[in-house]
Amino acid sequence: MQAEELANQVVTPPDPRLGDYAFPCFRLGKNAKEEAEKIKARLKLPDFLEKAEVAGPYLNFFLKNKVVAEETLNAIYKERKQYGRQNIGKGKKIVIEFSSPNIAKPFGIGHLRSTVIGSCLYKIYYALGYDVFGVNHLGDWGTQFGKLIVAYKEWGSEQELENNPIQCLLQLYVKFHEEAKKNPGLEDQARAEFKKLEDGNKESIALWESFKELSLKEFHRVYNILDVKFDSFHGEGFYNNLLESAIVHIDKKAGTKMSDGALIVDLEKQGMPPLMLRKSDGASTYHTRDVAAALYRIKKYKPEKIIYVVGSEQKLHFQQLFKVMELAGVDKNKFVHVDFGLFRFPDGKMSTRKGNVIFLEEVLNKAMELAERTVEEKNPSLQNKKEVAAVIGVGAVIFADLSNDRIRDIEFDWDRMLSFEGETAPYLQYAHARACSILRRALKEHNLDVSPHVNFEIIQLEEEAAVIKKLYNFPDVIIKVAQTYKPHLLAHYLIGLAQAFNEFYHKCPVLSEEKNHTKTRLLLVDGVRQVLENGLNLLGITAPEEM
Ligand code: ARG
């Protein structure tokens, strides 16, 4: 076996008392325990390991406290905000597509999930040294825009559109469907309008552009609150001019056929419904635009991977897309659908239900308001209360999302989310603020600044060692998140770190100790502060120094 293959089998024991690393010996022979004993007998332990022990089929390894402490705390002290960054992705490009809301519709909660999960993965890959390119694949094309143009021409007003664009466009859309029930001719009109758009009619394009611009203005407010950035806003409409050449390419490489007047790629052999490239009226589809986008991205960015952060309800859509790309000769490992479940709101608890949609901006505003009340209660003399409350409220919403395995549905629970206890952002932010406060007091009251020149032998208590091991593991956690596309692994890690820190803090006095101890413990507190900050930032959450 190669070293790398062996290294990949190393796991972390569920209980830290069993050791820091475990090597499973199942594969080495019938009696795994015996195999483990054999290795142990032959093993010459490297300097950083304390001991190795056999536990059942595992060979467990224990790190030396002093060595780990010195290496880890020095690294954090030196690297600061860079601690955890690596360069395993150097020279490799990753395209990550996330958020991708639909123009002329409210920014929904599903898009919030895509936004925060995508933004976190963007930061994670960036931290690993990848060249990351973030795309917001705006839903700004399709037959619904034919409908909107018809509705706007019939019943719209420029004034209303300017004043409250999303509401106005949403109402027009609803009205179109009501009217179309009575007057089916409207549907034909809408198709004709979309055809005009696809053919590049000037007047249609101008209307479409204004819908898009007004919607984007609203979306940017949300992105600003969340502090999320993109490298490109190429939405579906961007690919309009590339559709024909994409169809020709797929026809040549994968083969297409006609079916009831529509052009499709047959996927029957693959056990999937066909992927439609052109409808019988000549219009493109959501799939056509995704095919064109995939081909464009491969050619333009030469990515190692294209990651799509989109809800689980579109699983089949992406399976079909990836299969067609594979049939067209693209390496199937290039594509990843990072899917996720629903965010559910308990009925009646939200005042933000308008029609059937939840306005994300109102969710965020409510979170900030509630956080402001809590801050007012807990720390009325705080300087910049509003700013801190914003960071806590927004952080709470982001963490409520990212702390769950993305595949699962989440129940939205205001009280739990904003609590300072349990698995919440405020809990982590509070642990961070506590670390900052210890460091401030050390400087002010004891004239002690953090320094790396400390005695590491002093670290002997279980609570100290537990914190240091967590800090030591941080870079590995970042890699795990990238490998699994699961931000909750980082969220859970941070909760574990904060818990270990709280236990340390209660058992090990920092400032009342004799000076040698204090200096070592201050370095440890500073390490916790830094890793909480770095970890929260990777999740897209700010860590205030006071709260
Ligand atoms: N706009 C789509 C929606 O809201 C999401 C786009 C997903 N990305 C893609 N390449 N199809 O459902």
Side-chain angles (χ1 to χ4, degrees):
M1 248 184 282
Q2 296 292 318
E4 194 184 340
E5 214 179 308
L6 283 170
N8 277 336
Q9 294 181 30
V10 173
V11 294
T12 313
D15 180 347
R17 278 171 302 190
L18 289 172
D20 299 297
Y21 298 102
F23 182 74
C25 303
F26 308 105
R27 293 215 214 153
L28 303 178
K30 274 224 177 63
N31 188 337
K33 190 168 171 5
E34 244 168 51
E35 299 295 333
E37 297 282 7
K38 267 195 251 163
I39 305 181
K40 189 188 161 194
R42 275 189 319 195
L43 203 63
K44 196 172 162 291
L45 282 181
D47 219 22
F48 61 95
L49 290 179
E50 179 78 44
K51 58 178 178 178
E53 271 177 9
V54 175
Y58 291 94
L59 184 56
N60 293 339
F61 297 95
F62 294 77
L63 293 165
K64 254 186 213 155
N65 279 348
K66 175 189 175 273
V67 175
V68 183
E70 187 162 358
E71 188 189 309
T72 307
L73 295 181
N74 273 331
I76 301 175
Y77 184 83
K78 218 170 64 209
E79 297 167 30
R80 317 245 104 202
K81 283 183 199 294
Q82 308 296 320
Y83 179 67
R85 293 196 181 269
Q86 294 154 72
N87 56 15
I88 57 177
K90 212 165 173 196
K92 293 183 208 155
K93 186 121 188 169
I94 298 267
V95 171
I96 175 160
E97 193 216 276
F98 62 107
S99 196
S100 312
N102 298 319
I103 294 298
K105 294 222 179 113
F107 196 116
I109 211 80
H111 296 112
L112 169 70
R113 296 217 61 193
S114 173
T115 308
V116 300
I117 296 169
S119 179
C120 172
L121 293 177
Y122 184 110
K123 289 176 195 211
I124 289 278
Y125 275 95
Y126 183 79
L128 291 176
Y130 285 89
D131 181 6
V132 198
F133 194 81
V135 183
N136 192 331
H137 188 73
L138 293 170
D140 60 1
W141 206 253
T143 31
Q144 70 271 32
F145 290 93
K147 294 175 186 173
L148 268 182
I149 291 176
V150 171
Y152 181 74
K153 283 184 178 167
E154 292 276 338
W155 314 291
S157 103
E158 205 170 313
Q159 196 56 52
E160 260 171 60
L161 183 66
E162 295 277 332
N163 288 348
N164 206 344
I166 305 258
Q167 270 302 332
C168 166
L169 289 168
L170 191 62
Q171 274 160 13
L172 285 173
Y173 195 65
V174 172
K175 177 142 175 112
F176 177 92
H177 285 277
E178 281 165 13
E179 296 291 326
K181 273 190 220 138
K182 292 176 255 168
N183 173 9
L186 279 174
E187 294 278 0
D188 292 329
Q189 251 175 284
R191 266 192 286 277
E193 280 294 354
F194 181 54
K195 182 90 179 69
K196 270 162 72 183
L197 199 56
E198 290 216 295
D199 292 343
N201 175 289
K202 281 226 167 66
E203 188 204 10
S204 316
I205 295 274
L207 259 183
W208 169 77
E209 266 173 356
S210 78
F211 294 165
K212 180 167 161 169
E213 198 181 307
L214 290 165
S215 301
L216 264 178
K217 223 158 114 191
E218 306 236 336
F219 296 163
H220 276 303
R221 278 213 308 273
V222 171
Y223 294 138
N224 278 339
I225 297 178
L226 293 170
D227 194 21
V228 166
K229 303 206 168 46
F230 301 90
D231 300 301
S232 155
F233 279 87
H234 283 166
E236 295 182 41
F238 171 80
Y239 301 97
N240 190 37
N241 294 325
L242 302 170
L243 299 176
E244 273 319 305
S245 62
I247 291 176
V248 169
H249 181 86
I250 294 298
D251 180 53
K252 206 162 74 191
K253 298 273 185 163
T256 64
K257 66 184 203 191
M258 294 302 288
S259 164
D260 290 332
L263 184 71
I264 61 161
V265 180
D266 190 356
L267 295 175
E268 203 182 333
K269 273 202 212 111
Q270 286 77 17
M272 285 182 233
L275 181 147
M276 194 187 287
L277 287 169
R278 209 187 278 128
K279 295 187 193 174
S280 54
D281 63 6
S284 69
T285 69
Y286 181 43
H287 256 142
T288 327
R289 299 186 287 276
D290 257 328
V291 168
L295 292 172
Y296 174 85
R297 290 168 185 166
I298 290 170
K299 194 164 157 200
K300 171 121 181 155
Y301 309 117
K302 304 188 177 50
E304 182 180 81
K305 263 188 195 143
I306 306 178
I307 298 171
Y308 298 79
V309 186
V310 186
S312 300
E313 69 283 357
Q314 295 194 32
K315 212 170 195 152
L316 178 61
H317 171 85
F318 285 105
Q319 282 168 345
Q320 292 169 288
L321 173 67
F322 299 169
K323 188 49 83 180
V324 166
M325 297 315 286
E326 189 187 341
L327 291 174
V330 184
D331 175 8
K332 67 174 180 207
N333 296 319
K334 226 184 232 339
F335 300 100
V336 186
H337 176 201
V338 170
D339 61 339
F340 52 82
L342 299 172
F343 225 141
R344 295 181 198 283
F345 282 81
D347 255 354
K349 264 207 172 170
M350 280 290 299
S351 59
T352 45
R353 273 178 181 271
K354 295 219 175 93
N356 247 340
V357 282
I358 290 160
F359 282 71
L360 177 67
E361 215 180 331
E362 287 184 37
V363 173
L364 292 172
N365 286 336
K366 179 164 173 179
M368 291 190 267
E369 257 170 53
L370 290 173
E372 205 172 332
R373 253 182 266 165
T374 315
V375 171
E376 189 66 58
E377 234 175 74
K378 295 208 181 220
N379 193 354
S381 61
L382 186 68
Q383 287 286 317
N384 43 353
K385 258 183 272 181
K386 242 199 147 68
E387 261 167 65
V388 173
V391 159
I392 296 176
V394 173
V397 174
I398 295 177
F399 197 82
D401 188 318
L402 296 183
S403 56
N404 291 281
D405 189 331
R406 59 182 162 76
I407 302 298
R408 286 176 28 206
D409 290 352
I410 309 171
E411 190 78 35
F412 213 88
D413 181 338
W414 286 108
D415 298 333
R416 206 174 57 205
M417 193 165 100
L418 281 155
S419 154
F420 276 47
E421 301 298 326
E423 300 198 359
T424 66
Y427 174 71
L428 295 176
Q429 290 165 322
Y430 193 63
H432 172 268
R434 171 176 279 167
C436 291
S437 127
I438 297 173
L439 297 170
R440 271 196 309 272
R441 274 181 43 215
L443 193 59
K444 220 163 109 194
E445 295 166 20
H446 304 261
N447 201 19
L448 274 180
D449 207 350
V450 178
S451 144
H453 307 295
V454 303
N455 180 355
F456 291 99
E457 301 280 0
I458 282 178
I459 299 180
Q460 266 157 22
L461 295 177
E462 205 180 298
E463 287 79 11
E464 295 172 309
V467 170
I468 286 167
K469 272 177 195 160
K470 288 259 186 258
L471 297 176
Y472 170 80
N473 283 334
F474 181 59
D476 278 347
V477 174
I478 299 177
I479 294 181
K480 278 261 156 52
V481 175
Q483 281 170 343
T484 56
Y485 313 100
K486 286 182 186 284
H488 79 278
L489 298 177
L490 173 57
H492 285 190
Y493 161 83
L494 291 173
I495 293 287
L497 172 62
Q499 281 166 348
F501 175 56
N502 283 344
E503 277 163 33
F504 157 83
Y505 173 82
H506 288 298
K507 295 260 176 63
C508 317
V510 179
L511 299 180
S512 58
E513 273 294 325
E514 54 99 4
K515 207 161 175 175
N516 253 343
H517 255 100
T518 299
K519 279 167 85 177
T520 305
R521 287 185 183 160
L522 277 182
L523 184 64
L524 184 152
V525 171
D526 191 49
V528 172
R529 179 201 58 75
Q530 189 68 61
V531 170
L532 283 174
E533 179 189 332
N534 294 4
L536 281 167
N537 288 350
L538 283 171
L539 295 177
I541 299 172
T542 305
E545 289 184 13
E546 273 180 89
M547 64 189 270

